[in-house]
Amino acid sequence: MHHNSHTISVLVENEFGVLARVSGLFSGRGFNIESLAVAPTNEEGLSRMTIVTRGDENVLEQITKQLNKLVDVIKVIDFSDESAIEREMALIKVTAEDQNRAEVLRIVDIFRAKIIDVTPKSYTIEATGAPVKIDAILELLRPLGLKELVRTGAVAIGRGAKGWKG
Amino acid sequence: MKMNGARILLECLKLEGVDLVFGYPGGTVINLYDELMNVREIRHILPRHEQGGTHAADGYARATGKVGVAIATSGPGATNTVTGIATAYMDSIPMVVISGQVTTALIGNDAFQEVDMIGITRPITKHSFLIRNPKDIPSIVRKAFYIARSGRPGPVLIDFPKDVQIAQAEFKWPETVDIRGYKPNLEGHPRQVEKAILMMLAARRPVIYVGGGVISADAAGDLTALARRLQFPVTTTLMGLGSFPENDPLALKMLGMHGAYAANMAMTNSDLILAVGARFDDRVTGKIATFAPHAKIIHVDVDPTSIRKNVRVDLPIVGDVKDVLVKMLAELDKQADGLKELQANLSVWHEDISGWKEKYPIAYKQSTTTIKPQYVIQKLRELSQEDAIMATDVGQHQMWVAQFFGFQQPRTLLSSGGLGTMGFGLPAAMGAQAAFPKRQVICVCGDGGVQMNIQELATMVQNRLPVKIVILNNNFLGMVRQWQELFFDKRYSQTCLELPIDFVKLAEAYGAKGLRTEKPGEVEQVIKEALAHNGPVVMEFKISREEKVLPMVPAGASLNEMVLNA
């Protein structure tokens, strides 16, 4: 069965063990984590996690309810498809020798990515964008010789003028 | 005023109203125990095993409704509490467990008797705290008790490093507790309650399905009033036993795997289920696909995660069960005509239910030669006081107690329903007896489970806790044997205990009284003698060895596919 992926933002107390509580909840209850990004916010003591997960409607309902039940979780925001802007960064090391070098540069240019490290045999690229855009650049770079890939996982923020507190 | 961390913690326990703790000393709580000698308001009971202490705190909590407190040292002491914590977690029992921890500088160093207790207990606690600074103790203790007892109750762990017990700090008790990520939704939405009333008044084949949430919310009286006002039949889960008097004509008794025929038939044929403080677990629903196919479901629970976890729900009401029931009763006051009409519509349903009750009542075949376990339970009910507290272990005897004891009052059954912990009964009974020294506390066990925490007999004798322990001895691990008989072609793999234990001598070795019989004619005499004795008693009844718990819904079958006689 195919399940859609969902993006959930979780505002948590920036406390000892909170990441373990959230990730443990997912593993203990058999929920899936596709990616998880976490860092402090502008408010003191508050961190924000962006979790991309998969599951049907019932699973998603349980995930949000279970997250809300955690004492260290302050708010759970379940983004439906259009309500959020998602971005992800990837660092990509590709083989870039003679005939490939120009092609890599063209792809980097098309995707408005950046070369952040160069050697005679490789380029390291920084690419930012919606996760589908990262997928697309990787698709093009892969045949040229992808040596290493690091992705941050998506972060998301709601569209419009309102902040998460409304 | 400045004091050391150990003293601050004890002062906090006093302010939380704690007058009794169960604990076991050790290297990392020695400072706490030293301070305990200076605090007379807190009574301490020393179990013989930390698991026993934790179950005792749990039994105390179940019987009183207050938060049970257990203490253990770091490492093995702490890990011995794990089964007790998980048991309390599964049954939503309010408990605070304080574990010693190695000095903060040594945490993570694989120090002597160090374990990551917060990590180990993460999935089985409602929340947990590591105290890093003595000035944080008051707010942590305050939060721990608040979290343990509010909303859907549960166990909370406080990990207490040795150096924090020694360090000095100013003691300041926080007047209020406010946790921004923890705001249980206690008030049932009035519109949802109104909708529920309309659904209930329109029902033709309604059932109220009650779980332990009614007991933990102290709402048994309101539930009983609601059922009687509506004249809706009531079935309870194992955890819900005692929330509705079983001698009431509306009582269907327990439902589920070993539930009453009438209860399971009523659920299957109902057109409306009012679920109150219950969570539709697999032992209750049987096969989900065929569970109550015609019923609309109203689900009242304080924990939103319980709603729509296992079954579809037509009307969820998140809120404290008592709050919602009180609102329902008030709403019904406005519905005199609707109630009259409802009664006329329910007569056919009541006839159906009477028919099911008569067709297959919960029953057994009496014998004049061997003791039937069900007979022992019936005699216990007859001969004990109405407010007697009954603790059980887990297995066949537990189900016989559930079927035959006829619970009338809340907080009179202490049983591990969710986790199904063998070894729970005896220490849980001990905890209840410590809370209520004057009430009769009976513990029914099998000969398997009783040996899992038998060491607490010493604690009972030492602390003059006169628990009456009944061992239904069939020399088998009976429930597993029953499954092997029914589903594994009588291949009794490792369920015969073989070595007969002399439980009378064992009781006597601990300084308790021991009684034994294998004659049905002597059962009554043994129980009378035990109940009259002013101290702990072990009664060993040698019962018919291959007696089964019936009816039974085989695992994975539908609720109405009961094995009635096998």
Side-chain angles (χ1 to χ4, degrees), chain B residues 546-560:
Chain B
E546 302 201 9
E547 191 72 21
K548 285 189 286 293
V549 180
L550 294 170
M552 176 174 194
V553 179
S558 304
L559 265 194
N560 59 350

Side-chain angles (χ1 to χ4, degrees), chain A residues 12-17 20-25 29 43-46 58 61-62 65-66 68-74, chain B residues 89 107 116 118 122-123 125-130 132 143 147 152 179-182 303-310 318:
Chain A
V12 297
E13 297 284 359
N14 189 5
E15 268 187 33
F16 168 83
R21 289 186 203 277
V22 171
S23 62
L25 188 157
R29 293 189 180 269
E43 275 182 61
E44 174 128 9
L46 210 64
N58 290 335
E61 181 178 331
Q62 268 299 311
K65 283 175 169 179
Q66 294 286 355
N68 269 311
K69 199 168 149 179
L70 294 178
V71 171
D72 285 335
V73 168
I74 289 151
Chain B
Y89 184 73
I107 290 178
D116 173 11
I118 300 263
R122 191 175 21 74
T125 47
K126 195 171 165 187
H127 198 57
S128 47
F129 296 92
L130 170 67
R132 291 167 172 278
K143 283 177 185 169
I147 291 169
R152 179 179 177 175
I179 307 166
R180 60 178 169 172
Y182 178 74
D303 179 3
T305 67
S306 289
I307 294 173
R308 288 206 200 97
K309 185 165 66 181
N310 301 328
V318 176

